[in-house]
Amino acid sequence: MKRIWSVVKKTWEFIVLFHHGTFVDKRMAVVRKEAFDINDNLMLLLFGDFLGIPNPMSYYMLELLPYVADDLESWERRIQNRKFIIAEKAAQYDFD
Amino acid sequence: MKRFSFFGGKGGTGKTSCAAAYALSLSRRGVRTLVVSTDPAHSLSDAFDIPIGYEAVQLRENLHGLEIDAAVEAKKYMELIQQKTLDLVSAVIVDEIKRQIEIAYMSPGAEEAAIFDKFVELMESAGDVYDAIVFDTAPTGHTLRLLTLPEILGVWIEQLIEKRQKAMHLMKMAARYDSYLADRIKEDPILGTLTARKEKFALARDLLTDASLTGFFFVLNAEKLSILETARAVGLLVKHGISIGGIVINKVIPPEAGTFFEKRRTAQEEYLAEIDGLFPSYSRVRLPLLDSDIRGVEQLESMAVELEALEVESPLAGTVKSGSGEGP
C-alpha cells in the first residue's frame, strides 16, 4: 500500500513538473521576455538622449535615474547591440 | 488684483519696468508682493537699482524681489538626484550615473525646465508669505514655451505611465511562478515618480489656467512689429486657456514732444487705434515716453500710480470705446 502510494506521488510530481516545463515555463518565458522588452523600450523613451535621441524632458527623467541605475549599463549594451531585429522578433514565437 | 501676474512682450518694450512698477503699486496698497524675474538675462535689479539674487530680497515694505537663476536651480536638482542615487546604489554606479547627469545638464531643455520648476514652486508656496506674485518674464517666445510646457509634457508623461503600467502588468503575470521577480516588482518607484511629476504638471496647469488667479499682461509699444507679435501671443495664450489681464501700451509719445516727433506721433495715432481695435475687451493703459530712463524706486513710483488703472474694468473711459469681460 505504502509502495503504491509513493509511486502515485512520484507520478503526480512528474506530471506537475512535466506540465510546468512543457506549458507554463515556456509561456511564462514568453510573457517575461515581452515584459522586459516593453521595459527596454520604455527606457529608450526615458533615456534616449544618452544614445543621442533627443528627449523633450530629459531633465525630468533624471529623477528616475536612481531607480534604474543598476540596470542602466546593461540596458545601454543591450540596446546598442541590437543587430537582428527580425531574428529577435522571430525568437518570440515558438518555432522549435 | 490677480494673485499671479505675468508681464511679457517683445524685447525692449519695457516689460521689466512695468512689472516692477506694478509690483510697487501693489505693495503701496499693503499687498505683500513678490516680484520675480524669469528672464535668463535679468534686469530687475537694474530697474530697482538694488542688487537682487536668487533668494528673495526685501526691496521695501511689503515688497520682495527674486531673480531665478537657472544654473543654481538645476544644480540643486542634480545634487538631490545624486544624493538619492547614493542612498540606493553603490558608489561605483554613482560614478557612472554622474556622466549621464552631466549630459542632461547640458541638454537644451534643462535651463527652461529648471526655471519652470522654480516658478511653479513659488506659485505653490506663495500663499503663506505673499498675497501676490508679479512675474517679469523673458521675451515672448521663451515665455510662451514656458507657460505651455505643462500641457505638452503632460501628454508625454501620460504615455510613459501607460507603457510602464503595461510592462508591470506583464511582469506580474510572469512573476506568478517566480518569487524573485515578484519580490522585485512589489512596489514600483518609477511609476510613483512619473505619477508625482504628472500631478505637478497638472497642478501648474490648473494654476496657470485659473482666470481668477492668473493674468497675463502684455507690454507693447505703438509700433507695427510689437502689435503683430502681441496679437499672435494673445491668440496662443487664449488657445491654451491662459487669461489675459490687460495691455500696457508703453512709450507713447506725448503731444508736448515737439515738432521733431510730429510725424511719428501721427503714425502712432494709427497704431493706437489699431491696438484698441485688436484688443477691445482687455483693459488697456497708456504710459507716456519719458525724457529719461526709469531707475530706482522713486522713478518707478509715478509709473506705479498710472498702472493702477490696469485693475479698472474699462480704462481710458471716454477716449476709446472699450468692452468688458474676459476676452474673445
Side-chain angles (χ1 to χ4, degrees):
Chain A
M1 190 61 201
K2 219 175 176 184
R3 232 177 73 96
I4 296 172
W5 183 239
S6 89
V7 168
V8 169
K9 214 175 142 189
K10 269 262 159 64
T11 316
W12 178 246
E13 261 172 31
F14 174 77
I15 291 171
V16 167
L17 283 177
F18 181 78
H19 169 262
H20 208 284
T22 325
F23 304 111
V24 179
D25 253 15
K26 243 182 184 160
R27 291 292 159 265
M28 282 309 127
V30 172
V31 173
R32 212 186 139 102
K33 173 103 188 13
E34 180 78 19
F36 281 104
D37 275 356
I38 288 183
N39 241 342
D40 270 4
N41 291 347
L42 177 69
M43 288 280 280
L44 191 63
L45 292 180
L46 296 175
F47 303 112
D49 56 321
F50 297 165
L51 305 173
I53 304 166
N55 181 340
M57 49 191 304
S58 59
Y59 181 80
Y60 293 116
M61 294 299 97
L62 280 184
E63 54 194 19
L64 296 174
L65 261 183
Y67 309 114
V68 297
D70 266 332
D71 194 35
L72 200 65
E73 213 195 315
S74 54
W75 165 75
E76 248 179 86
R77 211 173 325 114
R78 273 203 303 279
I79 215 88
Q80 280 169 348
N81 280 344
R82 290 178 76 168
K83 288 192 183 103
F84 303 105
I85 306 283
I86 296 173
E88 225 175 77
K89 210 68 200 159
Q92 281 180 13
Y93 301 100
D94 215 354
F95 286 145
D96 48 48
Chain B
M1 179 198 88
K2 295 270 168 81
R3 184 130 188 221
F4 308 113
S5 323
F6 292 82
F7 277 81
K10 206 165 152 49
T13 48
K15 289 181 298 295
T16 303
S17 304
C18 285
Y22 184 67
L24 196 64
S25 87
L26 289 178
S27 74
R28 276 154 45 102
R29 278 176 278 160
V31 180
R32 291 171 304 167
T33 310
L34 175 70
V35 52
V36 180
S37 166
T38 66
D39 191 342
H42 297 296
S43 47
L44 200 57
S45 33
D46 300 329
F48 278 105
D49 211 7
I50 299 170
I52 299 172
Y54 58 88
E55 307 231 16
V57 175
Q58 176 143 26
L59 300 171
R60 47 167 285 159
E61 204 194 342
N62 286 330
L63 183 61
H64 285 76
L66 190 156
E67 287 174 342
I68 296 178
D69 187 332
V72 170
E73 299 307 326
K75 203 159 188 183
K76 260 195 243 164
Y77 177 71
M78 308 282 171
E79 267 159 19
L80 207 73
I81 289 166
Q82 270 189 24
Q83 192 50 49
K84 213 170 179 187
T85 318
L86 260 177
D87 294 345
L88 284 169
V89 296
S90 71
V92 183
I93 292 173
V94 173
D95 264 356
E96 171 66 24
I97 295 302
K98 254 190 195 149
R99 184 175 64 93
Q100 321 286 18
I101 291 184
E102 249 132 59
I103 294 175
Y105 187 77
M106 307 297 278
S107 79
E111 190 175 80
E112 221 167 43
I115 293 177
F116 179 77
D117 269 8
K118 179 70 181 174
F119 95 62
V120 171
E121 185 198 314
L122 285 171
M123 282 171 96
E124 270 180 89
S125 61
D128 348 317
V129 199
Y130 305 108
D131 304 316
I133 302 186
V134 178
F135 291 95
D136 166 31
T137 69
T140 316
H142 186 262
T143 302
L144 290 182
R145 223 185 111 66
L146 211 60
L147 293 182
T148 52
L149 208 61
E151 196 178 338
I152 297 157
L153 295 189
V155 175
W156 167 268
I157 209 159
E158 211 148 285
Q159 302 214 337
L160 293 181
I161 289 175
E162 219 169 84
K163 197 137 193 136
R164 179 69 182 177
Q165 272 168 340
K166 197 172 161 199
M168 289 315 271
H169 177 69
L170 283 171
M171 211 76 109
K172 271 195 193 112
M173 266 161 63
R176 204 189 293 162
Y177 298 96
D178 187 341
S179 59
Y180 170 70
L181 189 61
D183 233 31
R184 261 186 57 183
I185 61 171
K186 211 177 258 164
E187 54 192 277
D188 188 10
I190 295 184
L191 204 54
T193 313
L194 283 174
T195 313
R197 188 44 79 182
K198 186 184 142 199
E199 273 159 17
K200 219 166 188 178
F201 283 144
L203 178 82
R205 179 135 185 75
D206 287 347
L207 288 176
L208 284 173
T209 53
D210 188 339
S212 66
L213 286 177
T214 306
F216 201 102
F217 296 88
F218 277 98
V219 181
L220 72 163
N221 300 148
E223 283 163 4
K224 193 77 203 164
L225 293 181
S226 187
I227 294 169
L228 287 176
E229 190 179 300
T230 305
R232 253 197 315 271
V234 165
L236 203 69
L237 283 189
V238 168
K239 195 180 126 204
H240 283 276
I242 297 169
S243 85
I244 311 295
I247 306 253
V248 181
I249 305 146
N250 198 12
K251 299 185 188 168
V252 175
I253 303 166
E256 62 268 23
T259 48
F260 179 76
F261 281 112
E262 211 44 61
K263 215 169 160 194
R264 287 209 79 145
R265 228 167 57 74
T266 338
Q268 176 183 278
E269 283 308 317
E270 235 170 80
Y271 290 134
L272 286 176
E274 189 179 345
I275 291 170
D276 288 341
L278 270 172
F279 316 108
S281 54
Y282 307 126
S283 56
R284 275 157 281 129
V285 170
R286 290 179 187 175
L287 297 178
L289 181 71
L290 301 173
D291 53 7
S292 66
D293 291 346
I294 299 175
R295 265 197 106 183
V297 175
E298 282 81 32
Q299 282 172 305
L300 282 171
E301 239 159 58
S302 64
M303 214 171 153
V305 174
E306 289 182 75
L307 277 177
E308 273 169 29
L310 267 182
E311 283 158 41
V312 184
E313 274 286 301
S314 51
L316 304 173
T319 55
V320 287
K321 57 170 190 350
S322 63
S324 60
E326 265 312 310

